[in-house]
Amino acid sequence: MASNAPNIVFRHLFKTLTVSPALASGLTGQHHQLQQHAHVSGTAKGKAKLKSGQPLKRSSISKIGTPSSGGGGGGRGRREAIERITQISDSCLNAPTPLRHLSPKERLREAKREELGLISKERQRELDMAKAKAKAKSRGTGGDDGGRVLMGPPGLDYISLGLVDEEAIPKYELTVEDGRQLAKEYSRVLMRQHRARQTAESTLLKLKKEAIAALPEKLQAAALVPDMTPFPANRYMATLTPPIEGYLEKVRDAAKKYSVKEKLR
Amino acid sequence: MLPRSPATASHLLRSLQRARGFSSSAAAPASAKADEGKIVASVLFERLPVVIPKIHPVVYAFQEFSFRWGEQYRRQYPDDVLGKADARGKGDYQIDYVPAPRITEADKTNDRKSLQRALDNKLYLLLYGNTYGAPDGKPVWHFPEKVYENEETMRLCAESALKSVIGGLNNTYFVGNAPMAHMVIEQTDSSVSSFKRFFFKSQVIGATKYDVGKCKDYAWVTKDELLEYFPEQKDFFNKMIIHIR
């Protein structure tokens, strides 16, 4: 039905725009091509018969793209390189995840298949991992949240730098309810900070206005001129750690050494 | 409480029909006559924070939670693929460094004269000496200031004030031509009449040490310490200086 309206529009347009009968026939011939003869599916890209995760039709990598693999001379070297690359790409495309994300339908299907006795590879993997975890837990002490995850490169993460007090962090489990609670508190804290910042900034502007108003007449005009000189280029932003003394000279010396070496070669 | 006070202040402004300054004697409305009182330009010289401020533990907890939740559903790629990121080309050099500590020695000794003290706060310059309008000519903690004497603009007056204290303006940056706040100082007992003090904002650029002259003593203080030095004008300074905690 939606395709009819543009067709009517097109017909009207061509009726008004036709100059000669010969042109008119040519235009109406094109007009049939402009008509929609197939329905548009959910996505504009057309029918999606390809499911994600399956190898695409052009997944075999052409021979031109292998100079970086360093294969030796001859066809055999190239073939091995191609195999290695296809192996790497397969392992990446089919890489496993610790927890599988399943929709409720998929979960139901899995449960029914288990009753029948059929267990898929991934389900088997999950069961094995659960068994291994249970063993590890029974041997060692059962931690509640599984320990802290290092956020950032070791040595430069927030806890060891003293940005966060480790004890002050609330304990939580990796469940949905805990996640919701944490999200609520996070949003509360951030909104409080945001509101405080807004009021402080508007107070600053108010103070500035009052100060300008309190100036004597001749100076007010000068004070109201906006200062367009650019910020100084060496005004640094706050960083994670303060600048290390003597580091700049070290970097410059290292750069000099490397440049000298290359010149000799 | 804070959002309500600007509303009441502006209401009073309209009712009084005059510029109401923040005087040290509590509720007396100030009469601002330009020809009678003197004008003083003072400079709020600040060093911006060098290091990012501390993070609230709830914020950190939420970010850690969301990271770990996402990790559960993240694909585990083989190590030889992930290791390509660490490959270094020819000519790249890598210097392993130990990051400098965020709490410096000046923090531990509480040395107020050094600029390396509270790296995650802003530091403001305070001088101790004789200043215009101080009661009975006694030395007092004050900001660098200068009485206005027919210069072109107030900003030039403020710049000369800072110049006389520091010696040169190469390492400073004045923010804008307009003052950022003003105070009306009323004197009842001394010989000096009431005057207005205008604050100009300027920032430290590219220097880690200054020779501060023209005073008996000086200090670089954070906002909380500043409030200790001026106990009567706490509200005013709370409004003038933002400190996000």
Side-chain angles (χ1 to χ4, degrees), chain B residues 20-38:
Chain B
R20 180 169 190 247
F22 298 95
S23 51
S24 27
S25 58
S31 57
K33 287 181 197 160
D35 31 74
E36 177 198 85
K38 290 268 185 180

Side-chain angles (χ1 to χ4, degrees), chain A residues 53-56 59 87-96, chain B residues 75 77-78:
Chain A
Q54 282 185 354
L56 302 166
S59 72
Q87 192 199 28
I88 289 179
S89 73
D90 281 334
S91 61
C92 283
L93 285 172
N94 301 329
Chain B
R75 290 184 183 271
Y77 292 112

Side-chain angles (χ1 to χ4, degrees), chain A residues 88 92 95-96 98-99 145 148-149 158 163 172 204 208 211 214 222 225 227 231 234-235 239 242 244 258, chain B residues 50-53 55 64 68 72 74-77 81 93 98 101-102 153 155 173 177 179 196 198 203 205 240:
Chain A
I88 289 179
C92 283
L99 266 191
D145 64 346
R148 298 243 156 265
V149 169
Y158 282 174
L163 268 169
Y172 59 88
L204 268 188
K208 189 164 100 151
V225 170
D227 186 17
F231 293 167
N234 53 349
R235 185 165 82 162
T239 52
I244 303 174
Y258 268 96
Chain B
V50 175
V51 165
I52 60 178
I55 297 185
E64 200 190 11
R68 282 168 71 193
Q72 288 180 326
R74 204 161 293 168
R75 290 184 183 271
Q76 288 163 333
Y77 292 112
V81 171
Y93 49 86
V98 173
R102 296 171 89 241
T153 64
R155 178 173 153 163
Y173 171 63
N177 283 326
K196 285 189 263 183
F198 290 92
Q203 298 176 340
I205 310 279
M240 194 168 88

